[in-house]
Amino acid sequence: MKIPLLTIAALVTGASGFAPSLAFTTSKVSSSNSGLQAVEKKDSYDITLLPGDGIGPEITAATKDVLEALGKRCGFTLNLKEALIGGCAIDEKNDPFPDESLEQCRNSDSVLLACIGGYKWDKNPRELRPETGLLKMRKEMGLFANLRPAKVLDQLIESSTLKREVVEGVDVMVVRELTGDVYFGTPKGIDVIDGERVGYNNMIYAEHEIDRIARVAGDVAMKRGGKLCSVDKANVLDVSQLWRDVVTEVISKDFPEIELSHMYVDNCAMQLIRYPKQFDTIVCGNIFGDILSDEASMLVGSLGMLPSASIGESGPGVFEPCHGSAPDIAGEDKANPLAMILSAAMMLRYDLSRSDDALILEEAVEAVLDQGLRTPDIKQEGDGCKLVGCTEMGKAVADVVAAMEDKSEISV
């Protein structure tokens, strides 16, 4: 069977199952315009790999095999060099994101991250937890915009816990601000006041932080369905009122064609389950986006299928699957590598100016799903599909890529 590759025009229409309905295929977005260029297309790229913790090394190994097959097929080289982040960095360097890892990331053309965290480090002090390393990376690399697509595929529609009529046709992009909000606001801490412990954090946004994420969201929405929903809690939070005011100003002035709406975060959480097809592009702050993007991801049926991109105004982006480190299945060959493979596709598109090669990876993933291969997280009882492990799933994708006859078709 031959699977035709879709043309690059499919990126605009969202015709590919995995290619986002989004067309800034060779640029990142700045707060003042959308013309900040990715690395120019070339024959060799320096990529930092961050395998991290839990299932991270397994899905990284599978993705490396796929990228090697793609490079050989398409005539370019990815120089993959690993660095430490998360729990493994704490164990080896007593630092969740060592300075040498940061420096290597900054000097790379792009960064591909697997996942971090695990029960082992949950009781560490805050500065020695894996998540602290992730926050440091985002802050130090200026990764202020996180793009998380959630598109329901026909092959996996039964994996969703919601009814077919609710999720069929869902295609949502969550644009989350990454470097502000309550995760980074100060003062913060735990003090003893009047004889008892008091914990506090500061939810804070400056106008320029809201302005630049609103412009990213506007650009995304313009190239999708032209609808943007901004999520806040303006009825009780002053910071959310500023958020709503700035988003309204930016979109009405610079993106007048967009249909802008506002929704309180609690209502949005409900509406994503009740009627998710009403949403096209959602923009929200850090903590609301953290929660809502995971909720939107589960419309698809498994976090193991969903990639993400974190981009800044300059320098390399970081591309990672949406799922966690799943320490309970680490080392058991049960992990799903497809989200990391698809994150590599996003890296090719957004950072490396190789949209055509990104599409090859996305179509190869769909091809193995059409073959009926399923990892445990997407296997349904009685579906007639073959249960495979992480290694076999990665090899299947690599084999499809390597077996391509030419740029316009894949042999399966």
Side-chain angles (χ1 to χ4, degrees):
M1 179 175 67
K2 298 186 188 296
I3 308 294
L5 271 177
L6 301 178
T7 65
I8 297 306
L11 292 177
V12 180
T13 63
S16 169
F18 285 108
S21 308
L22 175 62
F24 52 100
T25 58
T26 60
S27 65
K28 300 175 189 175
V29 183
S30 75
S31 59
S32 58
N33 60 70
S34 59
L36 193 63
Q37 295 300 306
V39 174
E40 290 186 4
K41 189 173 183 179
K42 53 186 181 179
D43 294 332
S44 180
Y45 303 87
D46 293 327
I47 308 299
T48 291
L49 283 179
L50 300 170
D53 309 315
I55 61 173
E58 299 168 63
I59 62 175
T60 299
T63 303
K64 287 172 67 175
D65 290 343
V66 173
L67 289 174
E68 181 179 354
L70 181 70
K72 289 180 179 178
R73 177 63 192 83
C74 300
F76 67 94
T77 300
L78 296 177
N79 304 307
L80 305 174
K81 184 178 179 181
E82 295 188 4
L84 295 171
I85 190 173
C88 61
I90 295 170
D91 290 346
E92 187 167 329
K93 299 288 186 178
N94 202 39
D95 186 335
F97 190 50
D99 289 342
E100 52 264 41
S101 293
L102 173 59
E103 189 65 18
Q104 181 178 318
C105 289
R106 283 174 169 167
N107 291 328
S108 300
D109 292 315
S110 192
V111 178
L112 191 57
L113 167 66
C115 46
I116 55 102
Y119 311 127
K120 177 180 179 180
W121 306 281
D122 281 350
K123 295 183 179 180
N124 283 10
R126 181 71 58 190
E127 67 274 11
L128 288 177
R129 292 187 186 178
E131 296 77 13
T132 301
L134 189 61
L135 294 178
K136 176 183 175 182
M137 180 181 68
R138 291 171 179 169
K139 193 74 172 181
E140 294 296 326
M141 295 181 65
L143 304 172
F144 72 89
N146 180 237
L147 309 181
R148 287 183 58 164
K151 187 167 185 174
V152 175
L153 302 177
D154 289 341
Q155 299 100 321
L156 299 177
I157 199 166
E158 299 303 328
S159 296
S160 177
T161 55
L162 299 182
K163 294 179 180 178
R164 172 180 285 268
E165 58 266 30
V166 174
V167 297
E168 192 170 25
V170 166
D171 180 5
V172 181
M173 177 70 81
V174 178
V175 180
R176 169 190 171 192
E177 201 285 328
L178 275 183
T179 58
D181 210 341
V182 71
Y183 292 167
F184 293 97
T186 55
K188 61 181 179 179
I190 300 175
D191 292 334
V192 176
I193 300 176
D194 295 333
E196 66 174 350
R197 288 176 294 169
V198 177
Y200 53 95
N201 292 85
N202 189 14
M203 178 178 272
I204 184 169
Y205 267 116
E207 184 174 358
H208 77 274
E209 294 175 306
I210 305 170
D211 181 284
R212 65 183 182 180
I213 196 67
R215 293 181 187 280
V216 173
D219 195 73
V220 170
M222 282 286 289
K223 295 174 175 68
R224 286 174 52 88
K227 293 174 58 180
L228 176 62
C229 179
S230 176
V231 176
D232 58 45
K233 193 62 176 169
N235 56 335
V236 294
L237 296 174
D238 291 335
V239 64
S240 276
Q241 186 60 58
L242 178 64
W243 176 279
R244 181 173 291 208
D245 292 345
V246 174
V247 170
T248 301
E249 292 165 7
V250 169
I251 300 302
S252 62
K253 179 181 178 181
D254 295 329
F255 301 90
E257 303 91 342
I258 288 178
E259 178 186 333
L260 175 65
S261 62
H262 300 275
M263 190 174 290
Y264 296 142
V265 62
D266 45 352
N267 185 30
C268 184
M270 179 187 69
Q271 295 295 333
L272 275 171
I273 300 301
R274 188 187 73 84
Y275 182 43
K277 282 181 275 193
Q278 69 183 281
F279 297 106
D280 178 74
T281 304
I282 297 172
V283 62
C284 41
N286 206 343
I287 190 169
F288 296 159
D290 191 3
I291 297 165
L292 293 177
S293 58
D294 272 4
E295 182 184 5
S297 298
M298 285 311 298
L299 299 172
V300 179
S302 174
L303 283 170
M305 292 301 304
L306 295 173
S308 74
S310 298
I311 59 176
E313 293 179 310
S314 63
V318 174
F319 301 83
E320 60 181 302
C322 293
H323 60 71
S325 63
D328 52 320
I329 61 170
E332 298 182 9
D333 196 37
K334 294 180 179 180
N336 185 346
L338 296 182
M340 188 165 183
I341 293 169
L342 293 169
S343 296
M346 293 187 80
M347 175 186 73
L348 290 162
R349 175 174 293 113
Y350 291 115
D351 256 8
L352 306 186
S353 300
R354 285 190 169 269
S355 295
D356 50 349
D357 301 322
L359 197 58
I360 290 171
L361 284 193
E362 291 159 347
E363 290 293 304
V365 168
E366 286 210 62
V368 298
L369 293 175
D370 286 337
Q371 288 178 345
L373 302 184
R374 301 288 188 270
T375 47
D377 60 307
I378 53 175
K379 182 76 170 68
Q380 298 293 306
E381 185 177 354
D383 60 7
C385 294
K386 178 184 177 182
L387 180 65
V388 298
C390 179
T391 301
E392 186 174 350
M393 182 65 89
K395 183 178 184 301
V397 178
D399 288 347
V400 169
V401 171
M404 288 173 50
E405 294 183 359
D406 56 46
K407 286 278 187 177
S408 63
E409 58 187 13
I410 300 176
S411 294
V412 179

